[in-house]
Amino acid sequence: MTRMLIHGAPLAAVSALALAATVSTGALAQQNRASVEVPADKARVTGQMTIDYASRSERSTSGIDTYDLSELKVADLFVMRGTVQRQPGERMTYSLRYDVVNPQNPSQIARDVAILRGDLPIDSRGRYLPGDGNLRIDVVKGQQSSSKFGGVLQGRRVLKWWDVASRLRDAKSEATKIYSRVIEGKTVSIAVKNPDPLGFESLTLAGGPFSFLAPAKVSGNLDYDYELGNWLTDANGLNISYTIGDRPYSDKVSGSIRFVEEEGSFQDSQGKKREYTGYYDYNLRWNEQSVANDQSFFSDKQTQDPDAFFSSSDQTKPGLYGKVYYKDSEDYCKKQKGEKGEEECVGPTRSEVTYDLKPVGLTYQQLATWFKIEPLALGPLTDE
């Protein structure tokens, strides 16, 4: 009789590991791990995703975009892999599996312990409604359980990539919003014309896949700048609340995800050389010093410093830093007339995405929570 092995561990050991992914290690120990800071030598988020934008391709008849996440490793916590399908303006359908790392023995990994699955319908007002699509995380091994997403994610006003040009024209004549942050005791600000908010309206994030990773609620806006392609938080930030044991916690996430359009190459986490056509530079900070509510009223040219505002040189504060690289191609793209009357691609038809992010000073709960937000915002975040 042949014993089944997974990564060198006997099946019985893996069964115990799957059980650890739910409740077997003890409630107190798990609650403690949720609030433990991710060790510096484990603090990295790496992986690849391939996006096929069938809705932009002349060769496609389905019109369904596919996000193929081959592997996204979140520190020594879990690995996500699977697919998300999107019918633009209608819904997103999820099938993402979690492999989990044994907290007591990081060399052991239990496969397919949980699944993020269900639909994320989009209503006529551009709102993403996870509760209506029964979007959830199901723990399917060990002590089985299910935890649901809920609330509202208010999508950007632009649902089609090729409408961006009109939004950019409008932005030049519409309201300006000031964004500020404190750098070395000095308030630094930038002005953005008519940003488009991605609104989190008491968005509920499911708990899991470990039972110590608590459900959370998210409120606030992540604003999109059409002129430069950047994402920013305003003075209110993104507010995330959750409870570990009997203790309530509240985090404020602020900062930016800056888009840089340039070509180059880099080495991924496996040492493989990869090319890119652009990247997002993450500079998100947890619970940093807030700017006084009235301070931005008095911003002048001397404090308008985009380079300082977006700078991520100081990575000592709790936050998420690093880059997400994109290699875009426009083969067989659909075309629309641009501002000059010339035919232009409506956008990339394929993107090869590589994650190389560094969490600093974040707890396991904080890091896991962010990587439940990103899959829900996958469509808007990748629509340039």
Side-chain angles (χ1 to χ4, degrees), residues 44-51 68-72 266-282 322-328 351-357:
R44 196 172 180 190
V45 177
T46 59
Q48 288 79 42
M49 175 173 63
T50 301
I51 310 173
D68 186 357
L69 191 63
S70 58
E71 183 175 273
L72 182 65
F266 68 101
Q267 281 193 334
D268 66 15
S269 60
Q270 304 300 317
K272 181 179 179 181
K273 184 178 179 181
R274 294 179 180 269
E275 296 179 345
Y276 62 84
T277 56
Y279 60 84
Y280 281 105
D281 188 11
Y282 277 56
K323 296 179 174 63
V324 176
Y325 296 93
Y326 279 70
K327 183 182 179 183
D328 293 334
S351 294
E352 296 176 15
V353 184
T354 303
Y355 292 81
D356 189 5
L357 297 172

Side-chain angles (χ1 to χ4, degrees), residues 163-269:
D163 289 337
V164 168
S166 63
R167 291 301 309 163
L168 183 55
R169 287 194 297 271
D170 292 342
K172 294 178 180 178
S173 60
E174 295 186 19
T176 296
K177 186 173 180 178
I178 301 296
Y179 297 82
S180 301
R181 58 177 293 208
V182 176
I183 302 175
E184 296 181 352
K186 178 183 177 183
T187 300
V188 177
S189 303
I190 63 167
V192 175
K193 295 180 179 178
N194 195 37
D196 193 348
L198 181 64
F200 297 79
E201 302 174 5
S202 295
L203 181 70
T204 300
L205 304 176
F210 287 96
S211 66
F212 63 76
L213 296 175
K217 285 198 173 182
V218 187
S219 298
N221 291 333
L222 190 59
D223 292 348
Y224 185 71
D225 172 8
Y226 284 100
E227 194 167 7
L228 298 176
N230 302 324
W231 292 91
L232 313 97
T233 63
D234 58 20
N236 296 318
L238 286 180
N239 295 283
I240 304 173
S241 59
Y242 49 91
T243 300
I244 299 175
D246 295 326
R247 179 180 174 184
Y249 289 80
S250 180
D251 293 323
K252 179 180 176 181
V253 180
S254 57
S256 61
I257 304 175
R258 186 182 196 181
F259 181 67
V260 178
E261 187 173 7
E262 67 177 27
E263 295 184 1
S265 63
F266 68 101
Q267 281 193 334
D268 66 15
S269 60

Side-chain angles (χ1 to χ4, degrees), residues 68-349:
D68 186 357
L69 191 63
S70 58
E71 183 175 273
L72 182 65
K73 184 178 181 182
V74 180
D76 59 339
L77 194 57
F78 54 72
V79 178
M80 298 177 68
R81 54 191 172 84
T83 60
V84 179
Q85 293 187 324
R86 178 176 72 156
Q87 293 178 268
E90 294 186 26
R91 72 179 54 245
M92 301 183 73
T93 300
Y94 291 76
S95 181
L96 296 175
R97 295 180 177 271
Y98 288 92
D99 302 337
V100 299
V101 180
N102 186 345
Q104 281 72 46
N105 184 357
S107 65
Q108 288 186 341
I109 299 177
R111 298 291 187 188
D112 300 333
V113 165
I115 309 173
L116 194 168
R117 56 186 169 190
D119 290 341
L120 185 57
I122 307 169
D123 70 8
S124 59
R125 296 161 57 188
R127 300 183 308 164
Y128 294 73
L129 304 171
D132 289 4
N134 195 26
L135 189 65
R136 64 202 185 275
I137 293 178
D138 289 335
V139 175
V140 296
K141 290 186 178 179
Q143 184 168 335
Q144 299 180 12
S145 64
S146 184
S147 182
K148 295 185 177 181
F149 292 82
V152 175
L153 177 63
Q154 176 62 62
R156 288 161 48 193
R157 290 189 291 268
V158 171
L159 297 180
K160 297 180 180 179
W161 190 94
W162 49 89
D163 289 337
V164 168
S166 63
R167 291 301 309 163
L168 183 55
R169 287 194 297 271
D170 292 342
K172 294 178 180 178
S173 60
E174 295 186 19
T176 296
K177 186 173 180 178
I178 301 296
Y179 297 82
S180 301
R181 58 177 293 208
V182 176
I183 302 175
E184 296 181 352
K186 178 183 177 183
T187 300
V188 177
S189 303
I190 63 167
V192 175
K193 295 180 179 178
N194 195 37
D196 193 348
L198 181 64
F200 297 79
E201 302 174 5
S202 295
L203 181 70
T204 300
L205 304 176
F210 287 96
S211 66
F212 63 76
L213 296 175
K217 285 198 173 182
V218 187
S219 298
N221 291 333
L222 190 59
D223 292 348
Y224 185 71
D225 172 8
Y226 284 100
E227 194 167 7
L228 298 176
N230 302 324
W231 292 91
L232 313 97
T233 63
D234 58 20
N236 296 318
L238 286 180
N239 295 283
I240 304 173
S241 59
Y242 49 91
T243 300
I244 299 175
D246 295 326
R247 179 180 174 184
Y249 289 80
S250 180
D251 293 323
K252 179 180 176 181
V253 180
S254 57
S256 61
I257 304 175
R258 186 182 196 181
F259 181 67
V260 178
E261 187 173 7
E262 67 177 27
E263 295 184 1
S265 63
F266 68 101
Q267 281 193 334
D268 66 15
S269 60
Q270 304 300 317
K272 181 179 179 181
K273 184 178 179 181
R274 294 179 180 269
E275 296 179 345
Y276 62 84
T277 56
Y279 60 84
Y280 281 105
D281 188 11
Y282 277 56
N283 186 13
L284 296 172
R285 300 170 298 279
W286 267 248
N287 305 315
E288 75 167 343
Q289 179 184 352
S290 298
V291 176
N293 289 338
D294 298 338
Q295 186 64 43
S296 61
F297 296 164
F298 305 102
S299 297
D300 54 31
K301 293 182 179 179
Q302 293 181 344
T303 63
Q304 293 279 333
D305 189 345
D307 289 337
F309 181 89
F310 287 109
S311 174
S312 57
S313 59
D314 181 5
Q315 298 187 6
T316 61
K317 298 179 175 63
L320 185 62
Y321 307 96
K323 296 179 174 63
V324 176
Y325 296 93
Y326 279 70
K327 183 182 179 183
D328 293 334
S329 57
E330 298 180 337
D331 298 341
Y332 307 107
C333 65
K334 295 178 181 178
K335 295 185 177 181
Q336 294 278 335
K337 287 187 177 180
E339 289 184 289
K340 298 181 180 179
E342 300 176 352
E343 293 286 315
E344 299 177 354
C345 282
V346 299
T349 54

